Amino acid sequence: MWARAVWLGLRASAGGRRGFPSKAAHQGSRRVTAELIEHLERLALVDFGSQEAVARLEKAIAFADRLRAVDTDGVEPMESVLEDRCLYLRSDNVVEGNCAEELLQNSHRVVEEYFVAPPVCLFGEIYERN
Amino acid sequence: MATPMLRWCCPGRRWIFAGIGGGSRHGRGVPTGSTSSGKKGQSSVAQQPLITAQKPRKGEREWAAVVGLEIHAQIASNSKLFSGSQVDFAAPPNSLVSFFDASLPGTLPVLNRRCVEAAVMTGLALDCHINRKSLFDRKHYFYADLPAGYQITQQRLPIAVNGSLAYSVCVGKRWSQMVTRTVGVKQIQLEQDSGKSLHDNLRSQTLIDLNRAGVGLLEVVLEPDMSCGEEAAAAVRELQLILQALGTSQANMAEGQLRVDANISVHHPGEPLGVRTEVKNLNSARFLAKAIDYEIQRQISELENGGKILNETRSFDYKLGCTVPMRDKEGKQDYRFMPEPNLPPLLLYDSGSLPTGADPQQVIDIDQLRERLPELPRVTREKLVRQYGMLPEHSFALLNEVGLLEFFQNVIKETRAEPKKVTSWVLNTFLGFLKQQNLAVSESPVTPSALAELLDLLDRKAISSSAAKQVTDVKKGNPRAINKLIGLVRRATLGRADPTVIKEVLERQLSS
């Protein structure tokens, strides 16, 4: 079963695949490199912590790779599953807001009526510490 | 606050390239077609008009700069792009924030019709092709003022594409030497604004105000058809006037309603385009040209000294007057674009394709919007030149100051004096006076009626023009001038008018 998945994964199909260019590792290899893990950790603010987590990621990719078994040659990709729904247009009236107190209750720290966040430069550093 | 006159004219400051003798820009003719120089970073040969030096030193070659702009304009709407909270510049922090704006779980975006109309109108005014179907996407990045962790934008298929923007610049030293240039409009897209972060370095924290989070923005992407700061500033200025005329954005840079990012690179003419840098935080009309020219100069100096240009993001430091690198080099940002799963495609119609029996509230008819488009600045100027015989640069000056055109037209209505006289008085004496006193037209102590009256007197030769100019002296608070005026009027009426009556009449007129 997994062997078949690997074989399908190696058939990197270009036909029918459109949308955003992706950097993910489905160039046929299911090995996820340390570089990619670092990149993902920074982008998605997740912590892969252990080798087990990386293995889980690889399995998830393999699972999704089974989509390649579907022949999509000549089939127009959908925009989204909502593409034939009607997009509702709202009138330009003010009907919300004025609930600062309620919203601020969600925040760990507030200063006067501002949310408090760590200083911006730390965002990058948080990931170096891990 | 009065805006500087004819800011986009280049009053004599010329391009000086490092290592090349300072030369004046030679006439580049009047290219009115859009000269797209192709995508940045790809090896295509640019077809830019040249910036030539008068006498390049032996062995040195000319440089050409390529400038593209990304302009973000806040849409003038009552409520935000995807939620019903209010759009306002000054309000208590976090008071204009809905649950959706704060990205609380379970909230969904609901598109504001007014924002779509604003985008279509702007697209029509810039001669764009309006996409009958456009799509919304998520652009992911983490920042404290972006509560959702992504911005809803239109990356795959924006609402409008392939337009053009015509603007005018001065060539040569005289203001009357104006030429029209065109810059291509690559696309216009709808997107969300982020909140505001205030950095408190003392206490090592950032304060977040989400009032601005979710406000509708029009991103207008201008092709890299411009070649210097002056052209970029002129294009931005014209876009500002268009947005204001349409009412789609107040486009006030000081209030953050219009923000500009520039993409700048340099190369030798005939060679491939150079590596570009992005300069952000150009939020002042005054410094826009300066910042772009500085960056061009910096790149040229760097390359001439054998260095390389990094594909980086820089920021303009207003105090130092230079660009500085902005982010740490961590490689190119990966925004992980994906379709916005909560919004179907945006479909627009025209008179030919309107679905029958549709709720008018739920459909947008492009043709209807086209019919209702207000008069564009370019057309207004052409009319002024035709109707009043004024020079093109006068028409620019009249439109360049808020309220000035209306003032001018009111004076014209009430006076018998010739339009050319009115033009001259309004643009020279009146505007000069305002500038000196640092007043906006709306704050002027002189009303259109008063000026009209004055010009009538002048026209009837009841007073001399020097006497008329003294009226402004009186306005500035010099009461002795009024006595001089009384004397003149008396003489004009051959001594028959009663001085006290004259004084009364004049005082009444002057105090109105």
Side-chain angles (χ1 to χ4, degrees), chain B residues 229-248:
Chain B
E230 186 194 345
E231 290 187 349
V236 170
R237 179 67 183 131
E238 186 64 13
L239 180 64
Q240 215 178 13
L241 292 174
I242 291 173
L243 291 170
Q244 288 166 352
L246 292 174
T248 50

Side-chain angles (χ1 to χ4, degrees), chain B residues 317-328:
Chain B
D317 186 319
Y318 292 92
K319 288 192 219 113
L320 300 174
C322 63
T323 61
V324 295
M326 217 173 122
R327 303 201 229 278
D328 282 323

Side-chain angles (χ1 to χ4, degrees), chain B residues 398-448:
Chain B
L398 278 177
L399 262 64
N400 204 41
E401 189 74 37
V402 176
L404 190 61
L405 177 63
E406 202 186 327
F407 188 95
F408 168 82
Q409 283 164 334
N410 287 337
V411 175
I412 290 269
K413 258 189 271 182
E414 297 187 34
T415 187
R416 283 174 20 210
E418 254 188 42
K420 291 204 173 168
K421 256 256 145 26
V422 180
T423 308
S424 171
W425 267 82
V426 168
L427 287 181
N428 297 320
T429 318
F430 176 66
L431 194 57
F433 162 65
L434 285 183
K435 299 270 172 250
Q436 213 184 54
Q437 303 291 308
N438 206 15
L439 294 169
V441 174
S442 55
E443 298 165 333
S444 163
V446 180
T447 62

